[in-house]
Amino acid sequence: QVQLVESGGGLVQAGGSLRLSCGASGGTFSTYAVGWFRQAPGKERECVAAVSRSGGRTYSADSLKGRFTISRDNAKNTVYLQMNSLKPEDTAVYYCAAYEAYFGDNAYTDFGDYTYWGQGTQVTVSS
C-alpha cells in the first residue's frame, strides 16, 4: 500500500512557474501509474496529467495547451508536475493519485481508476 505526499504548491503570479512533487512511500513505486488532478472551488476534480508506471507513456489535458508536463523518477519514488505560464484559472488544489497497474504500461485519466490519493497542495495564481 502506497502513501502519497504532494509538495511545491504556493502563490505565484500569472505567467510564472511551479513544480509540484508527489513523493511515495510504502510500496514498489515502479508498479504504480500516477496521475495529477486538480479541483477548484465549485468544480469537479479533473485530470491534468498522467504517467504510466515506467514513465514511457504520458498524458496532458488538451486544454492546458502544453503548459504542464508530467515526469517521474522511480529511483526517487517521485512524480513531478512542471507547470509553466500559469494563469489565474489554474488556481486549485492539486492532488496526485496512484494505481497499482499489474498489466500493461498505460497512463490513466479517470478519477475512478485511482486507488490511492495524497492530501493535496494548494496552487494560487494571482493576476
Side-chain angles (χ1 to χ4, degrees):
Q1 187 169 354
V2 68
Q3 292 82 46
L4 305 172
V5 178
E6 303 94 337
S7 61
L11 174 64
V12 63
Q13 288 188 331
S17 297
L18 283 175
R19 188 176 79 157
L20 304 184
S21 298
C22 173
S25 62
T28 304
F29 187 59
S30 61
T31 66
Y32 290 87
V34 176
W36 279 100
F37 290 74
R38 69 183 181 186
Q39 188 165 23
K43 295 188 177 181
E44 293 187 351
R45 194 170 296 192
E46 63 172 338
C47 182
V48 297
V51 62
S52 67
R53 56 182 178 165
S54 75
R57 294 189 177 186
T58 61
Y59 162 85
S60 181
D62 290 341
S63 60
L64 298 173
K65 300 187 188 301
R67 297 185 295 115
F68 291 11
T69 303
I70 191 170
S71 61
R72 69 187 295 161
D73 185 339
N74 283 344
K76 295 183 178 180
N77 288 358
T78 303
V79 171
Y80 304 98
L81 182 68
Q82 179 67 44
M83 306 187 296
N84 298 325
S85 302
L86 284 161
K87 303 177 180 181
E89 52 263 43
D90 295 319
T91 295
V93 179
Y94 285 72
Y95 300 89
C96 69
Y99 164 61
E100 192 165 20
Y102 293 102
F103 304 102
D105 189 36
N106 298 311
Y108 299 89
T109 62
D110 192 89
F111 174 90
D113 290 328
Y114 289 92
T115 309
Y116 304 102
W117 291 83
Q119 81 289 349
T121 186
Q122 176 71 46
V123 171
T124 302
V125 184
S126 64
S127 58

